[in-house]
């Protein structure tokens, strides 16, 4: 089994690395900013100082960090991955970043005699913990086949969608669908709740029809129960929709509903919600309706008590 270097042990990266350790892989991380989580260390995770040291010690290096500048720093900054690479190694970026920058990063890594895959994921913290992530991969088929056993320990729906950059393009498309669906679920629940219906029962009924979706199931429940601790933060979804809108401008494509949904995320961030889960988008709709989802049901329960 190849040795895996894993850079970015955050909300999603930590459980992903944990699955690799559970599968018997030797996993090495960097203590560049902080010590690795204790539970991963207990499973056998080793740490070294510097991303270049991770690259020297590993056969496959995975990055899972928030945005394009962070990936650039991890790969090409001082003591970055590129400094520790030798021919034949594989670099995999599982972050969600710019498709244009991804192509540039891939060329630089290829020029060092190494393969590069962009492999962003969907499924959030829940999917990361359950090892059920959707993984959208851009790169050469031989590199993909080499990485497949590693991907299979972290996800279920794993697809090579095209050359470098296409994985990130697919992820941007995914984030458009997710954001607009969250917005639609939020509108529906605010409407139903203010009309006097029990939003929990409305959601239950809708789950049996054509409106059923994973977003309605998971994020609809979050809206009703007011559980907005982040699985995926609003500020990160803002970043992804910025990529969509920048790409649309370059391509001459109109994304009207993506633009509107981004404004709703902006409203949430302006009201202190940037670090809440993206299901908290409903708060922007609630402010405009002067009504909180579940408010009527909560009052009814209080009267009954």
């Amino acid at each position: 089994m190849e040795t895996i270097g894993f850079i970015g042990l955050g909300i999603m990266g930590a459980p992903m690395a944990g699955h690799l350790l559970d599968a018997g892989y030797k996993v090495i991380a960097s203590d560049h900013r902080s010590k690795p989580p204790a539970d991963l260390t207990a499973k056998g995770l080793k740490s070294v100082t510097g991303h270049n040291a991770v690259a020297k010690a590993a056969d496959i290096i995975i990055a899972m960090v928030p945005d394009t500048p962070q990936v650039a720093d991890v790969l090409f900054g001082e003591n970055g991955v590129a400094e520790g690479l030798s021919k034949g190694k594989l670099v995999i970026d599982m972050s969600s970043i710019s498709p244009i920058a991804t192509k540039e990063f891939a060329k630089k890594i290829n020029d060092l005699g190494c393969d590069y895959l962009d492999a962003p994921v969907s499924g959030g913290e829940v999917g990361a913990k359950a090892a059920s992530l959707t993984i959208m991969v851009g790169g050469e088929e031989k590199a993909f086949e080499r990485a497949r056993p590693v991907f299979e320990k972290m996800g279920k729906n794993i697809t090579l969608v095209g050359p470098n950059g296409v994985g990130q393009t697919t992820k941007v498309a995914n984030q458009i669908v997710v954001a607009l669906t969250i917005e639609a679920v939020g509108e529906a629940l605010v409407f139903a709740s203010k009309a006097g219906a029990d939003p929990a029962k409305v959601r239950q009924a809708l789950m049996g029809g054509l409106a059923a979706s994973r977003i309605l199931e998971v994020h609809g429940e979050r809206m009703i129960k007011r559980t907005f601790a982040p699985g995926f933060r609003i500020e990160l979804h803002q970043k992804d929709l910025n990529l969509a809108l920048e790409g649309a401008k370059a391509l001459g494509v109109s994304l009207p509903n993506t633009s509107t949904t981004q404004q709703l995320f902006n409203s949430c961030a302006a009201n202190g919600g940037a670090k809440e889960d993206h299901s908290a988008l409903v708060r922007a709709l609630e402010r405009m309706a002067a009504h909180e989802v579940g408010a009527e049901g909560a009052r009814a329960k209080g009267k009954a008590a």
Side-chain angles (χ1 to χ4, degrees):
M1 299 179 77
E2 296 189 279
T3 298
I4 310 296
F6 207 109
I7 299 170
L9 300 174
I11 289 176
M12 295 184 64
M16 290 164 69
H19 294 311
L20 296 176
L21 289 164
D22 291 340
Y25 283 98
K26 182 179 179 181
V27 181
I28 299 171
S30 171
D31 58 10
H32 176 66
R33 292 189 179 278
S34 60
K35 291 184 178 180
D39 61 325
L40 296 184
T41 302
K43 288 182 178 184
L45 179 80
K46 305 298 182 184
S47 63
V48 294
T49 300
H51 302 323
N52 55 341
V54 173
K56 286 179 182 177
D59 304 302
I60 297 175
I61 301 94
I62 295 173
M64 185 63 175
V65 295
D67 202 350
T68 306
Q70 285 80 23
V71 175
D73 183 60
V74 164
L75 296 181
F76 307 112
E78 185 178 358
N79 297 322
V81 167
E83 293 181 15
L85 291 176
S86 54
K87 288 185 177 181
K89 297 197 174 189
L90 171 60
V91 176
I92 305 174
D93 176 30
M94 302 190 77
S95 319
S96 297
I97 69 167
S98 164
I100 296 172
T102 291
K103 293 177 184 179
E104 297 172 358
F105 297 165
K107 186 179 185 306
K108 289 181 179 180
I109 296 298
N110 292 159
D111 288 345
L112 296 173
C114 300
D115 289 318
Y116 188 95
L117 295 173
D118 48 293
V121 303
S122 179
E125 182 183 13
V126 173
K129 288 182 175 179
S132 61
L133 293 168
T134 291
I135 306 176
M136 310 152 231
V137 188
E140 296 292 330
E141 187 168 358
K142 64 182 179 67
F144 174 71
E145 291 301 330
R146 178 181 177 183
R148 187 194 290 273
V150 176
F151 290 148
E152 288 175 344
K153 301 300 181 290
M154 299 182 285
K156 298 296 184 186
N157 182 22
I158 304 160
T159 307
L160 177 63
V161 289
N164 284 130
V166 177
Q168 294 295 352
T169 296
T170 305
K171 177 57 187 292
V172 171
N174 177 85
Q175 294 304 80
I176 292 172
V177 173
V178 171
L180 271 59
T181 307
I182 289 174
E183 195 278 337
V185 169
E187 278 196 21
L189 293 181
V190 168
F191 167 77
S193 179
K194 190 158 188 179
D198 182 339
K201 291 183 178 179
V202 170
R203 171 182 164 277
Q204 181 181 356
L206 295 179
M207 283 299 299
L210 191 59
S213 71
R214 183 67 172 158
I215 298 294
L216 177 62
E217 178 187 357
V218 175
H219 293 79
E221 183 176 48
R222 283 177 174 267
M223 293 173 191
I224 293 164
K225 292 186 175 179
R226 320 306 290 174
T227 50
F228 297 131
F232 188 76
R233 300 191 301 276
I234 280 175
E235 62 186 357
L236 293 179
H237 214 141
Q238 285 180 289
K239 176 261 297 183
D240 291 340
L241 293 193
N242 278 339
L243 293 175
L245 295 170
E246 289 168 2
K249 182 178 179 180
L251 293 168
V253 174
S254 178
L255 300 178
N257 292 327
T258 301
S259 298
T260 299
T261 303
Q262 181 72 312
Q263 291 302 319
L264 294 172
F265 277 137
N266 291 346
S267 172
C268 291
N271 281 274
K275 297 190 181 302
E276 291 188 315
D277 186 78
H278 53 174
S279 58
L281 171 73
V282 73
R283 292 194 192 274
L285 299 168
E286 290 170 339
R287 280 189 290 272
M288 290 189 288
H291 177 84
E292 183 180 294
V293 168
E296 292 299 324
R299 279 196 287 269
K301 287 179 182 179
K303 289 178 182 178

